[in-house]
């Protein structure tokens, strides 16, 4: 027998002899039931009535229990008409119901509030003990009679009786007291959580042996959820009126945590999701737009003031609501767009002032403003909001999309006809050339990575590619690249973002430079082997035409010193390859010329670092002391405008190696030039300004023309690819699919696509359907 219980749990395995007065004696219904009622039913009820703090004043001994069990056994196994199974089952049911009606219910109803709850809990616990004891006493009924007739088991009869007679009579009052206690706790008062938990457990137990939560749900949970909605509806209205948005969120988060804890303390786990849904609806979903737009403390204010803790809390809270993040994403997108557009407007104003100042002097050359600080500002803004999305919004796709859409708007805004693609390329050029920003390898790689992220927002990536190619060419050919590794790293980043086709020419250019080094070594070896001796050291860079920007050809008449070099290299190269033709691009070359001067009558020598054109001009003066501009032009066969530019760089610039007559800043064909023998400088080695490494206005226009031409070919190629696969397609679908294919590199104009379609029809790649004018067919 377990301590604290009125009887043993197990029935005896045999019938003790003392239980039977005479072997084979028949027990009548009246005698048998009288004995069972007095010694069993009434006695257990009496024991439970007197039970205080789990201490039993009266007990049922093991012998008494055995007699009761044996009596039931005998009465159920006697042969008819003395088999009393049915009567015993009915009497058991009647006695349980009678006790509940006459004794239990009145006691519960006589009390109110928490006392009523305590009485209900005590009576339910007692009832379970009584049913457990009586089920053991009448167990023989369960084993045979109940099974044979498919009747409710004795324990089920006991639970159902309590449900029908007691629970149904008091459930409304009990529910009202429970909800009042929950409200008291929500208002900050202390309540007896164990009592609430025990009463809630009774609602669950009333689901019966099927463990159904129907009673709990219908008779308690629905009312709890309704009360919760009403409570938080009033709370929300009050907080929204009095508190700032951050304070409101702190209170809401605290309340949601309280409700989660409340479920753990005394509610059924199945209630948690529904309870929190009510809270979230009333505290977050319904007032969301009002809260986000709250003046002085709403979402826009939090973003503007960079309140990261509040923004993180806002994300945590509104993530709970199915559509809660979309309005926040919209506000974030507008905010980032406004920040970006403010940068654009600021730069436009600064550029306009710069241009005005540049135009102040009548002879001042027009110079484009330095846009690198603006690009750095864009990078800083991107860093800021990327960190915001990562730290506060957990990289959520809604905010990544909002950030992407915002940056795509202002990153693609031109500043005084200068595209962001060009600015980004200039910024990269400044990072990657020797004279640019000084950074260590890790800092440089990090900054290039950020540039590529910004580049991904460009709609005209092909414009960036073309400018980048021209600037990379100048860095490589003029030996101005700070690091080959950095160049390759940047190309690899672009390749990862846009694919191999996008960077194939850039990779080819870097490869050409490495191959040129090998060719140069082979050329030196060839000269040794063939005993070829040149008066001038020659370094040649062999470039693949398809990779590099298009450069103008010229018919420069080289001085004899250079002709000898060119002829020797041509002989070497023709022996190596028979299917390639060399085309010399002198505009990209440079030379080191030894100049002998006599300042103050003393001989002084300088190593002059000049372009090939400048070298050709200077070498003329070895044979003649003075030339006019016209004579130099005829001797070298240079275009007049180009020649004037180079003559100015040698006679009017920082280093006046030539003397000009007359001494003006304009060059006429009749102007005479001679060597300035009085020229001197502290440095032995002098770098005379050559071609600028920056992209000129003429090159910008050429670049845009190249891009436009390349776009025509790209559009045509996309159209042909699509039509080759589809065979037949209507105009609208063709334009849509072509746009989707091309968007990776640039945003095509539908009018341009239409023009390309018309051109392809004229060239018989496509034809119109004879019955439908807006449908095209592919011609194989």
């Amino acid at each position: 027998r377990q301590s604290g219980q009125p009887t043993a749990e197990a029935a005896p395995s045999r019938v003790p002899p003392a239980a039977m007065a005479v072997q084979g004696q028949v027990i009548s219904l009246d005698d048998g039931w009288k004995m069972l009622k007095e010694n069993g039913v009434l006695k257990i009820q009496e024991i439970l009535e007197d039970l205080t703090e789990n201490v039993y004043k009266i007990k049922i001994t093991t012998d008494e229990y055995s007699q009761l069990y044996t009596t039931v056994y005998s009465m159920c196994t006697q042969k008819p008409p003395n088999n009393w199974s049915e009567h015993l089952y009915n009497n058991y049911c009647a006695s349980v119901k009678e006790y509940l009606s006459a004794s239990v219910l009145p006691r519960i109803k006589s009390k109110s509030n928490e006392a009523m709850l305590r009485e209900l809990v005590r009576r339910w616990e007692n009832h379970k003990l009584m049913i457990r004891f009586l089920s053991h006493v009448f167990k023989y009924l369960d084993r045979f009679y109940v099974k044979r007739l498919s009747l409710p088991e004795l324990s089920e009869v006991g639970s159902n009786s309590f449900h029908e007679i007691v629970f149904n009579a008091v459930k409304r009052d009990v529910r009202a007291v429970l909800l009042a206690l929950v409200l008291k706790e929500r208002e900050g008062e202390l309540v007896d959580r164990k009592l609430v938990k025990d009463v809630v457990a009774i609602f669950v137990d009333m689901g019966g042996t099927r463990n159904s939560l129907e009673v709990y749900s219908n008779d308690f949970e629905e009312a709890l959820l309704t009360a919760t909605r009403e409570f938080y509806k009033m709370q929300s209205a009050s907080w929204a009126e009095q508190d700032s948005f951050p304070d409101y969120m702190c209170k809401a988060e605290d309340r949601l945590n309280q409700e989660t804890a409340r479920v753990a303390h005394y509610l059924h786990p199945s209630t948690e999701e529904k309870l929190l849904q009510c809270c979230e609806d009333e505290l977050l979903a319904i007032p969301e737009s009002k809260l986000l737009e709250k003046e002085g403390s709403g979402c826009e204010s939090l973003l503007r003031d960079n309140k990261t803790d509040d923004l993180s809390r806002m994300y945590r809270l509104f993530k709970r609501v199915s559509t809660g993040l979309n309005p926040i994403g919209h506000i974030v997108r507008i905010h980032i767009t406004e920040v970006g557009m403010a940068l654009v407007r600021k730069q436009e104003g600064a550029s306009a002032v710069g241009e005005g100042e540049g135009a102040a002097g009548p002879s001042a050359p027009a110079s484009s403003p330095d846009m690198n600080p603006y690009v750095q500002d864009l990078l800083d803004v991107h860093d800021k909001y990327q960190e915001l999305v990562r730290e506060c919004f957990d990289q959520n796709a809604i905010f990544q999309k909002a950030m992407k859409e915002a940056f795509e708007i202002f990153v693609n805004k031109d500043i005084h006809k200068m595209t962001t693609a060009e600015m980004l390329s200039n910024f990269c050029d400044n990072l990657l050339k020797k004279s640019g920003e000084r950074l260590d390898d890790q800092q440089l790689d990090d900054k290039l990575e950020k540039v590529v992220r910004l580049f991904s927002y460009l709609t005209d990536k092909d414009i960036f590619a073309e400018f980048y190619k021209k600037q990379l060419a100048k860095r490589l050919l003029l030996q101005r690249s700070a690091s080959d590794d950095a160049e390759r790293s940047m190309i690899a980043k672009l390749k990862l973002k846009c694919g191999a086709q996008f960077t194939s020419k850039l990779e080819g250019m870097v490869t050409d430079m490495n191959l040129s080094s090998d060719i140069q070594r082979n050329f030196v070896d060839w000269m040794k082997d063939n005993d070829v001796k040149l008066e001038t050291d020659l370094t040649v860079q062999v470039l693949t035409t398809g990779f590099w920007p298009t450069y103008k050809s010229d018919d420069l008449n080289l001085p004899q010193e250079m002709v000898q070099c060119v002829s020797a290299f041509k002989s070497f190269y023709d022996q190596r390859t028979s299917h390639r033709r060399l085309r010399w691009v002198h505009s990209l070359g440079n030379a080191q010329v030894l100049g002998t001067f006599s300042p103050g009558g003393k001989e002084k020598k300088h190593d002059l670092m000049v372009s090939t054109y400048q070298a050709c001009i200077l070498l003329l003066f070895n044979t003649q002391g003075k030339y006019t501009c016209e004579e130099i032009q005829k001797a070298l066969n240079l275009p007049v405008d180009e020649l004037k530019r180079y003559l100015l760089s040698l006679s009017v610039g920082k280093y006046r190696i030539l003397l000009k007559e007359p001494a003006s800043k304009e060059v006429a064909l009749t102007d005479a030039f001679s060597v300035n023998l009085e020229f001197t400088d502290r440095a032995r080695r002098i770098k005379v300004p050559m071609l600028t490494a920056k992209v000129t206005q003429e090159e910008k226009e050429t670049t845009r023309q190249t891009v436009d031409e390349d776009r025509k070919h790209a559009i045509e190629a996309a159209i042909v690819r699509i039509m080759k696969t589809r065979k037949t397609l209507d105009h609208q679908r063709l334009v849509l699919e072509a746009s989707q294919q091309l968007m990776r590199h640039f945003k095509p104009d539908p009018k341009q696509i239409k023009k390309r379609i018309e051109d392809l029809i004229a060239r018989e790649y496509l034809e119109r359907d004879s019955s439908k004018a807006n449908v095209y067919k592919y011609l194989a």
Side-chain angles (χ1 to χ4, degrees):
R1 186 171 65 185
Q2 294 179 3
S3 174
Q5 292 187 3
T7 184
E9 292 293 335
S13 58
R14 62 186 182 84
V15 181
M20 303 173 72
V22 180
Q23 283 286 345
Q25 180 180 339
V26 174
I27 303 173
S28 68
L29 174 64
D30 290 341
D31 292 342
W33 177 247
K34 182 181 178 184
M35 184 266 190
L36 291 170
K37 187 173 183 180
E38 289 176 357
N39 296 334
V41 176
L42 295 178
K43 192 167 184 179
I44 187 66
Q45 291 173 359
E46 183 184 356
I47 289 170
L48 295 173
E49 286 293 331
D50 292 335
L51 178 65
T52 53
E53 297 182 1
N54 283 337
V55 177
Y56 299 103
K57 295 179 180 177
I58 310 170
K59 294 184 180 179
I60 297 176
T61 65
T62 305
D63 288 344
E64 288 173 330
Y65 169 77
S66 297
Q67 286 177 6
L68 293 169
Y69 181 87
T70 305
T71 302
V72 172
Y73 172 81
S74 299
M75 292 177 74
C76 292
T77 54
Q78 293 174 153
K79 293 181 180 179
N82 296 312
N83 188 307
W84 310 117
S85 296
E86 181 182 353
H87 296 83
L88 285 179
Y89 182 82
N90 292 337
N91 286 351
Y92 166 86
C93 296
S95 63
V96 169
K97 291 177 180 178
E98 181 186 351
Y99 173 67
L100 291 173
S101 301
S103 185
V104 176
L105 182 58
R107 294 286 182 87
I108 296 172
K109 279 192 165 185
S110 67
K111 298 184 179 180
S112 60
N113 298 328
E114 290 180 51
M116 176 180 67
L117 300 187
R118 289 191 176 88
E119 185 66 19
L120 174 65
V121 171
R122 187 176 84 84
R123 289 294 176 173
W124 172 240
E125 291 301 320
N126 287 352
H127 182 74
K128 287 191 287 185
L129 285 172
M130 180 181 79
I131 296 302
R132 191 188 307 163
F133 173 76
L134 293 180
S135 295
H136 283 304
V137 170
F138 292 91
K139 198 167 192 69
Y140 197 81
L141 283 174
D142 267 346
R143 285 180 180 171
F144 299 100
Y145 177 72
V146 168
K147 273 189 180 178
R148 191 172 69 248
L149 297 182
S150 300
L151 297 171
E153 291 187 354
L154 301 179
S155 59
E156 189 179 345
V157 169
S159 296
N160 290 344
S161 300
F162 191 91
H163 186 181
E164 293 165 9
I165 296 168
V166 179
F167 181 77
N168 283 347
V170 299
K171 65 183 179 184
R172 288 182 181 80
D173 296 334
V174 170
R175 181 176 62 216
V177 177
L178 273 182
L179 294 177
L181 289 174
V182 172
L183 178 61
K184 278 175 70 176
E185 189 178 49
R186 282 175 175 158
E187 290 175 343
E189 296 184 43
L190 292 175
V191 299
D192 187 344
R193 285 177 175 170
K194 185 181 182 310
L195 174 62
V196 178
K197 183 177 182 179
D198 291 341
V199 177
V200 168
I202 293 174
F203 279 86
V204 175
D205 291 344
M206 290 302 106
T209 53
R210 292 176 289 111
N211 293 322
S212 168
L213 290 174
E214 186 179 350
V215 175
Y216 170 79
S217 178
N218 293 340
D219 292 335
F220 173 68
E221 188 181 63
E222 285 182 9
L224 173 69
L225 297 179
T226 302
T228 300
R229 280 192 183 279
E230 287 300 316
F231 177 78
Y232 284 117
K233 185 177 182 180
M234 290 188 291
Q235 289 280 282
S236 174
S238 171
W239 295 344
E241 191 68 32
Q242 300 169 4
D243 299 319
S244 65
F245 183 37
D247 290 344
Y248 181 101
M249 288 192 293
C250 288
K251 290 182 178 180
E253 189 171 45
D254 185 49
R255 283 297 192 178
L256 289 166
N257 292 336
Q258 285 179 26
E259 294 303 327
T260 304
R262 185 163 289 115
V263 175
H265 288 140
Y266 51 70
L267 298 175
H268 192 271
S270 65
T271 303
E272 182 171 359
E273 185 180 344
K274 290 175 266 189
L275 185 68
L276 291 177
Q277 184 67 55
C278 291
C279 300
E280 288 159 8
D281 286 349
E282 296 300 331
L283 292 176
L284 302 173
I286 294 172
E288 179 174 12
S289 59
K290 182 180 178 183
L291 293 171
L292 294 177
E293 295 165 12
K294 199 169 177 65
E295 189 175 349
S297 66
C299 182
E300 168 63 27
S301 298
L302 299 183
L303 289 165
R304 187 182 61 242
D305 299 334
N306 202 31
K307 301 284 189 181
T308 52
D309 289 344
D310 292 327
L311 289 167
S312 298
R313 182 176 290 108
M314 177 179 69
Y315 172 73
R316 286 198 305 273
L317 288 171
F318 288 97
K319 185 175 69 170
R320 294 166 168 267
V321 181
S322 58
T323 57
L325 295 180
N326 291 326
I328 300 174
H330 178 68
I331 293 170
V332 169
R333 181 174 62 79
I334 291 173
H335 170 78
I336 297 175
T337 303
E338 287 175 352
V339 169
M341 289 306 297
L343 271 182
V344 172
R345 288 190 292 272
K346 177 184 172 185
Q347 187 59 41
E348 282 176 337
S351 298
V353 170
E355 285 173 8
E357 290 172 355
S363 61
S367 61
S368 58
D370 180 11
M371 303 301 283
N372 288 340
Y374 169 68
V375 175
Q376 185 58 55
D377 287 343
L378 290 178
L379 294 176
D380 292 342
V381 168
H382 189 267
D383 284 349
K384 176 184 175 181
Y385 290 107
Q386 190 175 47
E387 185 180 1
L388 183 83
V389 170
R390 183 176 62 250
E391 298 299 328
C392 298
F393 301 140
D394 196 27
Q395 294 285 47
N396 186 280
I398 289 172
F399 298 99
Q400 289 189 25
K401 182 170 180 278
M403 183 175 165
K404 177 176 176 288
E405 289 174 353
F407 270 84
E408 282 175 350
I409 291 171
F410 62 83
V411 163
N412 288 292
K413 292 289 182 185
D414 296 352
I415 308 285
H416 294 296
K417 297 184 180 178
M418 193 176 194
T419 64
T420 309
E422 184 183 342
M423 291 182 240
L424 277 180
S425 180
N426 292 342
F427 189 81
C428 291
D429 187 49
N430 187 55
L431 291 175
L432 292 167
K433 67 186 179 185
K434 288 178 182 175
S435 59
E437 190 175 348
R438 297 294 179 92
L439 300 169
D440 63 37
D441 290 347
Q442 188 57 52
Q443 288 174 324
L444 179 59
D445 191 67
D446 290 345
K447 190 154 277 195
L448 291 175
E449 184 65 46
K450 291 174 182 179
V451 170
V452 171
R453 286 186 200 135
L454 207 59
F455 158 82
S456 67
Y457 300 119
L458 292 178
T459 51
D460 297 329
K461 294 181 176 67
D462 54 343
I463 293 178
F464 171 89
E466 198 60 34
F467 275 106
Y468 190 87
K469 184 169 78 169
K470 279 184 163 48
Q471 288 167 328
L472 174 63
K474 289 194 173 184
R475 287 198 300 276
L476 295 176
L477 297 173
L478 301 175
Q479 284 92 46
R480 296 190 178 182
S481 182
S483 162
D484 283 347
D485 290 340
E487 295 287 4
R488 290 183 181 278
S489 173
M490 181 61 181
I491 292 169
K493 293 178 195 300
L494 292 171
K495 185 176 183 178
L496 193 65
K497 188 66 71 175
C498 295
Q501 185 184 349
F502 187 81
T503 57
S504 59
K505 291 182 179 179
L506 304 179
E507 289 174 312
M509 290 162 69
V510 176
T511 303
D512 270 359
M513 296 306 292
N514 292 332
L515 291 175
S516 289
S517 300
D518 295 338
I519 291 170
Q520 181 64 30
R521 282 194 294 272
N522 293 334
F523 175 54
V524 172
D525 294 341
W526 176 84
M527 285 195 297
K528 286 179 183 176
D529 294 343
N530 292 275
D531 199 25
V532 176
K533 293 182 180 179
L534 299 176
E535 295 178 8
T536 306
D537 292 335
L538 174 69
T539 302
V540 180
Q541 292 166 333
V542 181
L543 314 179
T544 308
T545 306
F547 295 150
W548 296 76
T550 305
Y551 297 109
K552 290 179 183 176
S553 294
D554 55 44
D555 297 319
L556 178 67
N557 294 329
L558 292 170
Q560 189 55 41
E561 297 93 330
M562 293 185 182
V563 171
Q564 183 191 8
C565 296
V566 168
S567 300
F569 188 83
K570 188 174 185 304
S571 301
F572 156 74
Y573 197 75
D574 287 346
Q575 288 178 21
R576 281 173 58 93
T577 56
S578 57
H579 59 283
R580 289 194 171 193
R581 184 172 61 87
L582 288 174
R583 180 173 65 86
W584 294 86
V585 184
H586 301 298
S587 60
L588 299 172
N590 57 76
Q592 181 176 332
V593 178
L594 178 61
T596 305
F597 303 92
S598 53
K602 291 182 181 180
E603 185 179 286
K604 190 173 184 182
K605 295 187 177 184
H606 286 286
D607 292 324
L608 305 176
M609 310 299 295
V610 292
S611 71
T612 302
Y613 288 156
Q614 289 170 323
C616 291
I617 293 169
L618 291 174
L619 288 173
L620 286 177
F621 290 92
N622 283 337
T623 56
Q624 188 173 314
K626 184 178 283 191
Y627 284 93
T628 64
C629 176
E630 189 174 6
E631 288 170 342
I632 295 173
Q633 196 275 326
K634 287 177 180 175
L636 297 178
N637 195 29
L638 267 174
V640 174
D641 291 339
E642 286 284 301
L643 176 60
K644 287 180 178 180
R645 196 153 63 90
Y646 286 105
L647 284 170
L648 280 173
S649 71
L650 292 167
S651 60
V652 183
K654 183 178 179 182
Y655 302 106
R656 301 194 175 191
I657 297 163
L658 298 180
L659 294 174
K660 176 180 176 295
E661 297 174 14
S664 64
K665 291 190 177 181
E666 298 294 329
V667 177
L669 288 173
T670 55
D671 288 357
F673 294 87
S674 59
V675 176
N676 179 12
L677 294 174
E678 294 295 320
F679 173 80
T680 185
D681 194 85
R682 287 182 182 179
R684 159 84 188 215
R685 189 182 177 115
I686 295 169
K687 192 171 185 179
V688 180
M690 296 184 291
L691 276 176
T692 175
K694 291 185 178 179
V695 179
T696 63
Q697 189 59 39
E698 184 184 348
E699 284 178 308
K700 286 182 185 180
E701 290 169 6
T702 308
T703 301
R704 290 195 172 90
Q705 289 170 6
T706 305
V707 168
D708 289 341
E709 200 59 38
D710 288 345
R711 283 185 177 183
K712 288 179 184 178
H713 299 314
I715 293 169
E716 287 181 358
I719 293 168
V720 170
R721 272 198 306 273
I722 294 163
M723 292 304 297
K724 198 170 184 179
T725 307
R726 298 301 188 92
K727 306 302 182 194
T728 303
L729 205 62
D730 66 77
H731 177 79
Q732 196 170 353
R733 287 288 302 279
L734 179 55
V735 170
L736 181 64
E737 288 195 27
S739 298
Q740 287 172 343
Q741 278 195 20
L742 296 164
M743 278 295 278
R744 192 172 183 186
H745 294 149
F746 65 93
K747 189 176 182 180
D749 182 358
K751 292 178 183 175
Q752 190 66 23
I753 295 176
K754 187 178 180 183
K755 282 176 73 175
R756 293 299 96 214
I757 292 171
E758 297 294 341
D759 198 50
L760 287 170
I761 290 171
R763 284 150 54 198
E764 297 186 349
Y765 282 90
L766 309 176
E767 68 174 2
R768 293 185 188 277
D769 190 297
S770 54
S771 58
K772 296 178 182 175
N774 68 329
V775 174
Y776 307 113
K777 290 182 177 179
Y778 177 70
L779 296 175

